[in-house]
Amino acid sequence: MKAVVKHKRGYGAELQLIDIPSIKEDEVLIKVKATSICGTDVHIYTWDEWSQNRVNPPYAFGHEFSGEIVEVGNKVQDFQIGDYVSAETHLVCGICPQCMTGQYHICKNTKIIGVDTQGCFAEYVALPASNLWKNPVDMPIDVASIQEPMGNAVHTVLSGEVVGKTVAIIGCGPIGIMAVGVAKAAGASQVIALDLNDYRLELAGKLGATVMINSSKTDPVRAVYDLTDGNGVDIVCEMSGHPIAIDQGFKMITNGGRFSILSLPSKPVPLNITDDIVFKGVTVQGITGRQMFKTWQQVSRLLESGQVDVKPLITHHFPLEEYEKGFDLMIKGECGKVILLP
Ligand SMILES: [Zn+2]
Ligand SMILES: [Zn+2]
């Protein structure tokens, strides 16, 4: 089968012909219909410090997809050939203290599809049935593919009360843009999108941002105070990972606010804990993955009901063979979600 393979410890990837994976008793084989490029894949592609310490080439990477089951292991009960599925990308152990208490998303032994195991930038992918999510039959394949990152947005935004609150989304990559749509759907009174990239701010506007602020042109902290009667925002969703933006986030949040961090800053970030967290009584949350499978249910229903329309965010489709075009756009930030079609 065709697959985009992280072929060596260095920049880039290669289209190769590799064996179709064989399945274990508790796994299914899926024919991939659509797969999308994630920021994580860009880290692996560009071979940054994180990926140098994490991944072991050669292997096919990629983790966001939708597809059809074509083979089912002996022990699989709830899925059949022909089922239209996507998948939770965290492979969890089921036996650590977190898993034992239902907190699978923070399993101590998490492995990630396409990072630690063979991924879905390929014609077929083999996965444990316990990770699958059945899609509504009429959900478009590109929309179904981006449910996993949308789950990150949903998990971040909905980790506290939203209705009637003012929300700042810092960092409008695809997940930040989806977070805008989710905050809007959840009843936020204002959704303020902040980024340095006008193209992506425009996409945030299409998903329902009430104000877009380019932090390289306008002082974002002052702008947010002006928009909130001098109070600051109730909720900050940090999706940028940039130390300056994070500091600005703590400056623009109101006393008693919620600061939810999904981003992965590449280095430790200095914080003014005394003034910006303790005296302000701010709640800081780390957000990882998606709650299994509560978040998937929320994502599926938000999409099916039309409460969040992600179509404007899906800006490019390429055949799998043209993966380089997709990665170039992602690296330049001149796209929303990029879909590859095997
Ligand atoms: Zn992803
Ligand atoms: Zn576990």
Side-chain angles (χ1 to χ4, degrees):
M1 66 171 182
K2 286 178 292 183
V4 177
V5 173
K6 182 71 200 175
H7 57 306
K8 58 164 204 235
R9 300 183 65 83
Y11 190 92
E14 204 171 76
L15 188 78
Q16 292 183 359
L17 286 174
I18 61 172
D19 291 339
I20 293 174
S22 50
I23 56 168
K24 301 190 190 116
E25 290 179 314
D26 60 344
E27 292 185 339
V28 302
L29 185 69
I30 299 156
K31 180 155 180 47
V32 179
K33 299 275 188 197
T35 174
S36 34
I37 302 177
C38 174
T40 305
D41 304 318
V42 176
H43 289 300
I44 294 169
Y45 188 86
T46 58
W47 199 239
D48 70 353
E49 215 177 299
W50 171 82
S51 52
Q52 289 169 31
N53 293 318
R54 177 74 181 251
V55 306
N56 287 310
Y59 77 110
F61 62 129
H63 57 270
E64 302 172 4
F65 75 94
S66 63
E68 189 184 318
I69 296 179
V70 292
E71 195 187 336
V72 176
N74 298 330
K75 286 195 176 158
V76 174
Q77 291 189 329
D78 302 330
F79 292 90
Q80 295 170 352
I81 288 172
D83 281 351
Y84 174 37
V85 294
S86 291
E88 167 54 44
T89 55
H90 284 189
L91 301 162
V92 299
C93 75
I95 54 169
C96 73
Q98 283 71 26
C99 285
M100 292 294 281
T101 50
Q103 305 173 88
Y104 299 100
H105 62 292
I106 44 172
C107 168
K108 288 208 285 192
N109 305 307
T110 302
K111 287 199 175 109
I112 303 179
I113 296 167
V115 173
D116 305 304
T117 68
Q118 178 109 313
C120 63
F121 287 162
E123 290 179 87
Y124 296 91
V125 62
L127 290 175
S130 54
N131 274 67
L132 301 182
W133 180 259
K134 238 179 244 180
N135 295 320
V137 283
D138 56 351
M139 185 178 277
I141 55 172
D142 50 3
V143 172
S145 177
I146 68 168
Q147 291 175 100
E148 190 259 15
M150 181 165 165
N152 289 130
V154 165
H155 189 189
T156 309
V157 174
L158 300 185
S159 283
E161 199 176 290
V162 179
V163 67
K165 306 250 180 191
T166 52
V167 182
I169 309 289
I170 302 181
C172 290
I175 294 177
I177 294 169
M178 287 188 271
V180 166
V182 175
K184 190 82 184 173
S189 64
Q190 276 196 79
V191 184
I192 305 166
L194 301 105
D195 202 282
L196 308 175
N197 177 330
D198 285 326
Y199 176 91
R200 285 188 157 165
L201 285 170
E202 203 187 310
L203 288 177
K206 287 186 183 161
L207 270 277
T210 45
V211 185
M212 289 88 83
I213 296 171
N214 185 323
S215 302
S216 68
K217 297 175 185 166
T218 309
D219 175 355
V221 178
R222 170 168 290 186
V224 164
Y225 276 93
D226 287 346
L227 288 163
T228 54
D229 298 327
N231 290 314
V233 274
D234 300 318
I235 300 166
V236 170
C237 296
E238 200 335 274
M239 312 264 179
S240 78
H242 196 286
I244 294 172
I246 292 169
D247 184 62
Q248 290 166 344
F250 280 107
K251 297 287 184 290
M252 70 177 66
I253 198 165
T254 194
N255 289 14
R258 163 165 71 96
F259 198 108
S260 302
I261 308 175
L262 179 76
S263 68
L264 306 170
S266 55
K267 295 196 178 91
V269 176
L271 296 175
N272 186 340
I273 293 175
T274 306
D275 291 334
D276 293 345
I277 298 177
V278 177
F279 282 132
K280 285 177 106 169
V282 168
T283 301
V284 182
Q285 296 174 314
I287 306 284
T288 185
R290 295 140 299 277
Q291 288 181 279
M292 291 172 226
F293 277 84
K294 178 184 166 190
T295 306
W296 280 86
Q297 191 171 64
Q298 291 169 319
V299 168
S300 184
R301 289 177 181 173
L302 285 168
L303 289 170
E304 265 200 285
S305 65
Q307 285 170 288
V308 179
D309 177 13
V310 290
K311 291 255 176 58
L313 174 65
I314 302 172
T315 53
H316 296 79
H317 297 78
F318 296 111
L320 184 68
E321 291 86 341
E322 295 177 23
Y323 63 96
E324 282 172 315
K325 286 186 190 166
F327 277 100
D328 285 348
L329 286 166
M330 287 288 286
I331 291 164
K332 289 186 200 141
E334 289 169 2
C335 57
K337 283 305 277 187
V338 176
I339 306 287
L340 300 174
L341 303 161

